[in-house]
Amino acid sequence: MKFAVPTSALMLFAVSVICSEAADSGASVAVIYNSNLKESKAVAEHYAARRSVPENNVIGLMLPTGETMSRAEYKVYLLKPLLKELTKRKLFEFDGRKLKEAALRYLVLCYGVPLKIERDI
């Protein structure tokens, strides 16, 4: 049994695939890994290669190796260094304390990046 697919339907499908790939390119992603774990870097590099994430967008941070971190550790080891790297790599632009422009749509946290921030007591 043969199915006839209209050429217009195939064209529409091709255009939608091309547009979705262009809109969600690897350049709009930053991959974050724990530089204290070699496995974390390997996962980040694999993901970046498969998703065409530019090397500039792959960021290693020296993070705690457990599943959780305290609020203080979060600020010192993740938040401040990440903002510094994003600014240095021209992925974020700040106007004073306000975000002016961002070249990213989302961050991918790789294996080894703590999952939870403990509640302050």
Side-chain angles (χ1 to χ4, degrees):
M1 178 184 272
K2 291 185 179 181
F3 292 96
V5 179
T7 305
S8 60
L10 289 175
M11 294 281 287
L12 181 61
F13 176 75
V15 168
S16 67
V17 168
I18 291 168
C19 288
S20 69
E21 287 181 9
D24 200 22
S25 74
S28 66
V29 180
V31 180
I32 313 303
Y33 70 92
N34 188 340
S35 61
N36 287 322
L37 297 171
K38 66 179 181 180
E39 299 88 355
S40 184
K41 183 176 183 181
V43 170
E45 289 172 343
H46 176 77
Y47 181 91
R50 299 288 292 172
R51 302 290 185 193
S52 301
V53 176
E55 190 175 316
N56 185 58
N57 295 22
V58 180
I59 301 169
L61 301 173
M62 295 180 69
L63 300 166
T65 56
E67 186 176 290
T68 63
M69 68 173 111
S70 69
R71 175 72 54 188
E73 289 174 319
Y74 164 74
K75 289 177 182 175
V76 170
Y77 297 112
L78 191 119
L79 180 63
K80 289 179 182 178
L82 179 58
L83 291 175
K84 183 179 179 180
E85 281 297 313
L86 292 172
T87 303
K88 182 174 98 177
R89 296 169 187 234
K90 300 190 184 319
L91 299 172
F92 271 18
E93 185 180 336
F94 289 97
D95 182 16
R97 295 186 60 134
K98 194 175 186 181
L99 181 63
K100 184 177 177 183
E101 191 172 325
L104 303 175
R105 292 186 56 204
Y106 56 95
L107 302 174
V108 173
L109 304 179
C110 287
Y111 165 79
V113 175
L115 302 172
K116 301 177 203 166
I117 301 169
E118 295 173 345
R119 189 179 280 197
D120 285 342
I121 297 177

